[in-house]
Amino acid sequence: MASLLSLLNDYTLQNVMAGAALLGLISGVLGCFAVLRRQSLLGDTMSHAALPGVCLGFIIAGGRHMGSILTGALVTGALAALTMLLLTRLSRLKTDAALGIALSVFFALGVVLLTHIQGMNNASQGGLDAFLFGQAAATLRADVWIMAGITAIALALVAVLWKEFKLVTFDAEFAASLGLPVVWLEALLTMMVALAVVVGLQMVGVVLMAAMIIAPAVAARQWSRRLEGMVTLAALIGMAGGVLGALLSALSRGLATGPLIILSVSAVVLLSIALAPGRGLAWEALRLWRGRRRLRQQQVLTTLYGLAARHEDPVFRSEQGLIDSYHGLRTRTALRKLERRGLVEWGEAPPGEPGPSRRWLLTPAGRAEAERVLASLYEEGA
Amino acid sequence: MLAALFDNPAAMIMLVGALVGIASTLVGTFLVLRGNSMLSDAIGHAIVFGIVIVWLVTHQQSGPLQILGAALTGLLTVVLTELLVSTRRVKQDAAIGLVFPVLFSIGVLLLNLYARDVHIDTHTVLLGEIGFVWLDTVTLGEYRVPQALLSMGAMTLLNAAFVGCFFKELKLATFDEGLARALGLAPGLLFHGLLLLTSGTAVAAFDAVGAVLFVAFVIVPPATAYLLTDRLWLMFVYGILVSILSSISGYVLAVAWDVSIGGMMAVMTGAFLLVAFLAGPRYGVVAQWFRRRGQRRLNEIRTLAVHLYNHEGSPEQHEENVTRALREHLLWDDAKARRVVARSREQALIERNGEALHLTPGGRELAREILEPGRRATDGQG
């Protein structure tokens, strides 16, 4: 515990954790809109396309100046989005191909520029590679302030245009009929993904940014049906994942921060899909199991009722083996459940009859229930 | 002579580049047509995980077994994605964006932990180094043949054999999956086979061009071909041509500018796509623009003909059927009116008599055909 506390006082780690939290915050919030608008992979494309911008920023500024590098990343990221848009609008290519083309060609251009910079023999080129995979440890206090500024701008935009964004996300046609500038709002939402990418470049790198946009939003979606709740939760999940990843990385010297952040957030996704109340897989399985159990009880009940009717004896006593032969064994638990509900009785066989001495028979309540089930089945069939 | 070829680094590099492009195009064409392009991005990244795992198990870096082993993890990505989609909690694009970063992250962490000094450093993962393929050679008979040439050649043959053997089946499964299934072709199995080959190609191409540039070779040449033709076999021809030309021109430019060869090759695929996008004979932007302009001009001429026909022989003919009237009644400005009149006269649809405009018999026929479609020209007035 003491080591953890001393670790928390570590200046570098403070920067990394602050940066990771900011990244989780902005990508969680903006990712919700991207995922709901089925633009999950746009973040992937834009983050790859940020590479030539990083290099151009470096070339223009003549060194590793955060401001110009991030501006460059923002510009080429937006250009990639525009390219993708033009390809889908003006040609017969579909979204997936357009995304892949923008992603790979822009990235290739970035690689070419990167090698060009390496050929320039500029002393300060070291650290450009960091943008490929992220190098959280290189985060400076100044970088954190820039990231905080970008995050604040993005959050302010979301807050001010909340209603409009919500409308465009869920019903763009309705938004257009209300006279909202839908195209501009969609462009703004897309641009803001580029902002998140820019914040994440330093922390997790271009490859893993895709998951940072998608994962918190998908996880949050499992827990909340409302956009308000989803955005809040995604922000929290993103921040928690970021901080956890940063801490894990600090505790285990030498493990890269970016992947640990991604794995932390992805673990939350897995848990959410499995366990989220109402929507989770575990809940569905439980519902299914309950439904099946209920159905089996009803089947056993109506079988008993049918046997009684055929023998024209309302208190006809059926042997366990007979019921099993109807349903293929394992009816005992269903019968015990029915007994507990007071619908059947485990009664004595009539004296003098061969076979087991104890048998199942319907109670008056069981008869009524069986009649009700049969009536509802008949209604459904009609 | 052959020995001279194998000793010529430039030829080897271009050949390997072209083979990467051809092998990728063979599988990529179907991915692009099916709308699954981004799966190649996911596979390209996820095989990093596979390569590390295979290396940890066998401590060998190349060979058919390694390609197969790593290729299986590419397929694993696809299966995991499908599994995630089948829970109905996550859409396909989001599922892709969740799965590959997780595998990539685990791969990077394993590299961090166990394989610090393997040649698969994280830099190669994304960029590859096609410039050095001729350094890593094996002796084959009396020739020293680059390792990459062998593996890429084998992969190209394998892909070509697969596509050649199952051409009809793949075609049907791509364009009409329902019919393919009805005919008992197992399109799912066929598609997974295709993805396994895609993963294998990714692994084989990995050393040469890296994960992301591989994506360029899979998506961009087929997409370029798709902009040029509607015939499947021609798509292959064009795609392969683009691959070869990109490889050669990319190499030449990269040497001239002293930048990344693989990167420049991928950029060139983008350049060819741009040309097809703009200048494609049928789907190109320019062709579309000309077609739309032709349509607009035709509409203008038809409007004029109908206008003249409607007022022909009526009392207001001398007021309506003059160039001046077109401004008020058809809302055309003078320049436009003049242009349309000139074009109509060129096509001998109208005659000009001072200010007055008259339809020729041909123009009259055109107007009638528009106003009463379906009536045969020979029916005359009766």
Side-chain angles (χ1 to χ4, degrees):
Chain A
M1 202 62 218
S3 73
L4 189 66
L5 271 181
S6 69
L7 205 61
L8 287 178
N9 279 324
D10 182 81
Y11 182 74
T12 314
L13 183 61
Q14 280 176 359
N15 288 342
V16 173
M17 277 173 41
L22 285 168
L23 170 63
L25 179 60
I26 185 173
S27 51
V29 171
L30 299 180
C32 288
F33 294 101
V35 167
L36 289 174
R37 296 174 63 225
R38 302 248 192 140
Q39 291 195 326
S40 305
L41 291 172
L42 193 69
D44 191 28
T45 295
M46 285 170 113
S47 61
H48 281 87
L51 185 64
V54 167
C55 296
L56 282 177
F58 180 91
I59 292 171
I60 291 171
R64 197 170 171 277
H65 299 300
M66 208 58 180
S68 59
I69 282 178
L70 293 188
T71 312
L74 199 62
V75 169
T76 50
L79 273 180
L82 187 70
T83 306
M84 186 235 133
L85 200 71
L86 284 178
L87 283 177
T88 46
R89 286 273 162 88
L90 297 181
S91 84
R92 60 206 296 239
L93 293 172
K94 293 184 217 83
T95 312
D96 64 304
L99 280 171
I101 291 165
L103 177 150
S104 54
V105 175
F106 271 77
F107 186 83
L109 204 61
V111 170
V112 166
L113 288 173
L114 201 62
T115 44
H116 173 68
I117 292 173
Q118 280 160 0
M120 297 195 316
N121 271 329
N122 187 324
S124 57
Q125 78 191 31
L128 263 192
D129 278 10
F131 290 102
L132 287 179
F133 296 97
Q135 199 177 53
T139 313
L140 305 174
R141 190 49 64 89
D143 300 343
V144 173
W145 283 116
I146 292 178
M147 292 162 83
I150 297 172
T151 309
I153 293 171
L155 290 186
L157 275 172
V158 170
V160 171
L161 295 173
W162 176 259
K163 261 192 192 154
E164 286 80 358
F165 282 164
K166 190 174 172 177
L167 212 50
V168 165
T169 302
F170 289 112
D171 197 342
E173 274 174 37
F174 181 56
S177 75
L178 290 182
L180 289 178
V182 174
V183 176
W184 286 107
L185 288 169
E186 289 188 330
L188 194 60
L189 275 175
T190 306
M191 276 300 298
M192 286 174 24
V193 174
L195 283 182
V197 165
V198 159
V199 169
L201 278 182
Q202 166 99 355
M203 298 297 303
V204 298
V206 299
V207 182
L208 296 176
M209 253 325 278
M212 245 359 242
I213 298 278
I214 301 169
V218 168
R221 172 67 190 91
Q222 312 305 319
W223 301 88
S224 169
R225 298 171 146 271
R226 299 181 55 81
L227 186 64
E228 290 82 0
M230 184 177 164
V231 167
T232 318
L233 263 175
L236 290 175
I237 292 170
M239 286 167 74
V243 171
L244 183 65
L247 271 178
L248 285 175
S249 162
L251 288 172
S252 58
R253 292 273 162 213
L255 284 187
T257 312
L260 285 172
I261 292 179
I262 297 306
L263 288 181
S264 309
V265 183
S266 302
V268 180
V269 173
L270 213 57
L271 280 177
S272 305
I273 288 178
L275 297 178
R279 231 176 109 93
L281 291 176
W283 290 77
E284 191 181 74
L286 190 68
R287 241 192 328 268
L288 212 64
W289 180 69
R290 276 201 186 133
R292 228 176 255 152
R293 200 177 64 181
R294 186 158 194 85
L295 191 66
R296 180 168 277 271
Q297 288 177 22
Q298 287 184 350
Q299 282 171 338
V300 170
L301 199 65
T302 50
T303 303
L304 279 174
Y305 182 81
L307 284 168
R310 211 170 309 149
H311 289 82
E312 292 174 355
D313 173 11
V315 287
F316 176 78
R317 290 144 206 269
S318 314
E319 294 171 23
Q320 177 75 50
L322 182 65
I323 303 170
D324 280 350
S325 70
Y326 269 89
H327 296 284
L329 299 181
R330 287 201 308 160
T331 59
R332 202 169 284 263
T333 41
L335 282 162
R336 289 251 184 282
K337 283 268 169 8
L338 287 169
E339 188 181 22
R340 212 172 302 151
R341 285 166 65 194
L343 301 179
V344 297
E345 269 173 26
W346 184 226
E348 292 288 334
E353 253 187 47
S357 64
R358 300 191 66 124
R359 302 176 181 198
W360 293 103
L361 73 153
L362 286 171
T363 63
R367 255 194 313 283
E369 174 68 11
E371 274 159 14
R372 197 190 61 74
V373 169
L374 287 170
S376 72
L377 276 180
Y378 179 74
E379 254 167 48
E380 261 170 47
Chain B
M1 205 202 107
L2 214 50
L5 183 70
F6 287 131
D7 283 338
N8 182 348
M12 284 300 101
I13 290 168
M14 281 188 269
L15 196 55
V16 169
L19 284 177
V20 171
I22 293 168
S24 305
T25 299
L26 284 170
V27 287
T29 300
F30 293 108
L31 290 184
V32 168
L33 286 174
R34 288 180 57 110
N36 290 115
S37 310
M38 288 305 274
L39 277 183
S40 66
D41 181 45
I43 288 174
H45 288 105
I47 54 154
V48 172
F49 169 74
I51 289 173
V52 179
I53 295 282
V54 170
W55 183 82
L56 285 177
V57 174
T58 66
H59 277 264
Q60 278 179 313
Q61 283 169 18
S62 54
L65 193 67
Q66 279 62 38
I67 292 186
L68 182 68
L72 283 174
T73 60
L75 200 59
L76 176 74
T77 319
V78 178
V79 171
L80 285 178
T81 305
E82 283 166 358
L83 203 65
L84 211 50
V85 174
S86 74
T87 66
R88 283 172 289 120
R89 265 71 177 170
V90 184
K91 298 271 183 296
Q92 206 216 356
D93 59 331
I96 293 175
L98 282 170
V99 170
F100 84 78
V102 168
L103 291 177
F104 188 81
S105 296
I106 298 175
V108 171
L109 289 179
L110 287 176
L111 271 180
N112 276 180
L113 283 175
Y114 300 110
R116 285 178 188 284
D117 42 18
V118 204
H119 89 128
I120 19 172
D121 64 286
T122 42
H123 203 141
T124 326
V125 167
L126 290 185
L127 310 181
E129 206 25 276
I130 198 170
F132 297 143
V133 288
W134 53 278
L135 287 181
D136 190 9
T137 58
V138 289
T139 311
L140 205 73
E142 56 206 278
Y143 305 117
R144 289 169 52 77
V145 185
Q147 174 97 45
L149 189 69
L150 286 182
S151 51
M152 271 330 296
M155 240 12 256
T156 309
L157 287 180
L158 201 59
N159 289 355
F162 182 78
V163 172
C165 288
F166 297 107
F167 190 77
K168 261 191 191 157
E169 289 81 357
L170 281 166
K171 191 172 170 177
L172 196 60
T174 301
F175 293 110
D176 194 342
E177 195 170 336
L179 180 60
R181 186 167 297 123
L183 293 176
L185 285 182
L189 196 65
L190 212 55
F191 186 52
H192 281 105
L194 190 74
L195 288 171
L196 185 63
L197 286 179
T198 310
S199 311
T201 312
V203 185
F206 187 77
D207 282 338
V209 293
V212 184
L213 302 186
F214 160 74
V215 178
F217 283 105
V218 173
I219 302 177
V220 186
T224 309
Y226 186 55
L227 292 177
L228 295 175
T229 178
D230 284 329
R231 305 211 62 84
L232 184 58
W233 68 271
L234 263 181
M235 263 187 84
F236 283 110
V237 173
Y238 287 144
I240 287 170
L241 268 178
V242 168
S243 302
I244 295 172
L245 290 177
S246 304
S247 164
I248 296 172
S249 57
Y251 176 78
V252 172
L253 289 176
V255 170
W257 293 335
D258 189 23
V259 291
S260 157
I261 296 168
M264 206 59 222
M265 286 175 175
V267 169
M268 285 318 291
T269 63
F272 285 112
L273 180 102
L274 186 65
V275 173
F277 172 66
L278 292 177
R282 182 143 171 234
Y283 300 107
V285 171
V286 176
Q288 280 181 41
W289 182 78
F290 269 108
R291 205 158 47 238
R292 223 171 284 140
R293 195 183 67 162
Q295 196 62 47
R296 202 175 54 234
R297 286 184 169 178
L298 186 62
N299 283 343
E300 287 167 359
I301 289 173
R302 288 156 69 106
T303 307
L304 179 62
V306 168
H307 176 79
L308 295 180
Y309 182 77
N310 278 340
H311 297 290
E312 198 167 47
S314 71
E316 66 276 9
Q317 180 177 5
H318 61 281
E319 275 178 36
E320 290 286 352
N321 291 4
V322 292
T323 323
R324 214 172 346 102
L326 302 179
R327 182 170 46 202
E328 287 134 43
H329 295 262
L330 297 178
L331 300 175
W332 290 352
D333 58 45
D334 286 337
K336 181 172 180 181
R338 262 201 304 279
R339 274 202 312 270
V340 178
V341 167
R343 273 201 295 275
S344 302
R345 285 175 69 194
E346 269 168 39
Q347 296 183 24
L349 295 173
I350 64 170
E351 282 167 352
R352 187 166 181 167
N353 193 354
E355 265 289 275
L357 304 170
H358 300 286
L359 286 169
T360 63
R364 208 166 290 128
E365 203 49 60
L366 175 72
R368 270 189 213 145
E369 189 59 33
I370 295 162
L371 289 171
E372 291 163 71
R375 189 174 73 167
R376 302 304 316 151
T378 48
D379 286 355
Q381 289 291 329

